[in-house]
Amino acid sequence: MRRKVFSVGDIVQIKDEDIELVVFAVDEDAIGVFPFYDVHDVDDRRWNSEEMDWEVVGERPMEIIEWYNPAARFDNDEAPVKYGVKFRRMVPRSGEIEVLRSCPRSDIKVGDWILVDEPDKGLICGIVDEALSVELKVHFYHHKCARSQGQWNAQISFDDVLVVDSTYRHLYKECEREAKRSA
């Protein structure tokens, strides 16, 4: 019997499920997945002090650091479950699983936001400061609701990247140019 080929970072869909999933682990009999949350069409809100309520002021793309419920990063049993799907789970390879697309690692550039599954910190997001031949220099941000907070720089392999978002790449380059002009 021919085995299905899966890679870490693939976006997959399981038959009869509506949500796309990110592959975070691959073993002989199963793959580990968590929900891939859409980064587009998020309502932007502003506090209306006269109405004492939030009002929708338009749509904006969701930043990668907002993609995942921080409380669920460590599979917290008390965390809210989005879309009725357990945050992380293993699914048998024998199931009807379709690979929709793979992580575009070869297209990662300076200014891209990336998502990495770090063993001690869970899912962490960072912005690529430099793309080398086989490694990335990344500035990571850890959400205030996670086990630890803060920012730090690290060098990682392209293979560690699960998800890439280039939505704000142009803004990073503009900031980079501004920094050089003011220096």
Side-chain angles (χ1 to χ4, degrees):
M1 179 176 19
R2 195 169 147 222
R3 297 190 63 78
K4 294 179 187 173
V5 178
F6 297 102
S7 299
V8 170
D10 284 347
I11 305 297
V12 300
Q13 188 148 25
I14 299 172
K15 184 180 179 182
D16 299 327
E17 288 191 24
D18 293 332
I19 192 165
E20 295 179 356
L21 302 159
V22 179
V23 175
F24 72 88
V26 178
D27 69 24
E28 194 173 308
D29 300 319
I31 60 171
V33 294
F34 59 79
F36 177 74
Y37 299 137
D38 196 4
V39 296
H40 304 290
D41 300 329
V42 174
D43 289 335
D44 203 4
R45 298 172 189 271
R46 173 179 61 208
W47 181 254
N48 183 330
S49 54
E50 291 176 12
E51 297 290 325
M52 296 300 289
D53 198 4
W54 291 97
E55 64 179 317
V56 175
V57 293
E59 293 182 343
R60 64 176 174 81
M62 184 183 286
E63 295 178 28
I64 195 169
I65 56 176
E66 298 175 74
W67 280 1
Y68 299 95
N69 176 351
R73 289 180 178 166
F74 294 93
D75 301 322
N76 180 347
D77 291 336
E78 297 170 13
V81 177
K82 290 193 175 187
Y83 305 112
V85 177
K86 183 176 180 209
F87 190 71
R88 286 186 194 249
R89 61 189 167 130
M90 297 300 286
V91 294
R93 295 180 93 156
S94 59
E96 290 188 47
I97 305 168
E98 177 186 359
V99 176
L100 302 175
R101 59 194 172 280
S102 295
C103 182
R105 291 186 181 101
S106 60
D107 296 334
I108 298 173
K109 304 278 187 262
V110 171
D112 289 348
W113 281 91
I114 61 169
L115 185 71
V116 175
D117 190 9
E118 211 275 334
D120 295 327
K121 294 184 171 114
L123 291 173
I124 55 174
C125 300
I127 188 166
V128 177
D129 284 329
E130 192 174 348
L132 306 170
S133 59
V134 293
E135 293 185 320
L136 300 167
K137 288 186 178 179
V138 181
H139 186 76
F140 285 104
Y141 294 84
H142 216 248
H143 197 284
K144 64 185 177 187
C145 297
R147 283 185 178 170
S148 62
Q149 300 180 43
Q151 302 179 29
W152 67 96
N153 294 315
Q155 199 159 321
I156 64 164
S157 167
F158 274 84
D159 295 335
D160 294 335
V161 177
L162 296 177
V163 178
V164 180
D165 179 23
S166 302
T167 306
Y168 299 100
R169 181 189 292 169
H170 68 287
L171 296 175
Y172 183 87
K173 289 183 178 183
E174 286 175 17
C175 292
E176 190 177 75
R177 262 188 255 123
E178 290 299 318
K180 287 180 182 176
R181 258 190 245 149
S182 62

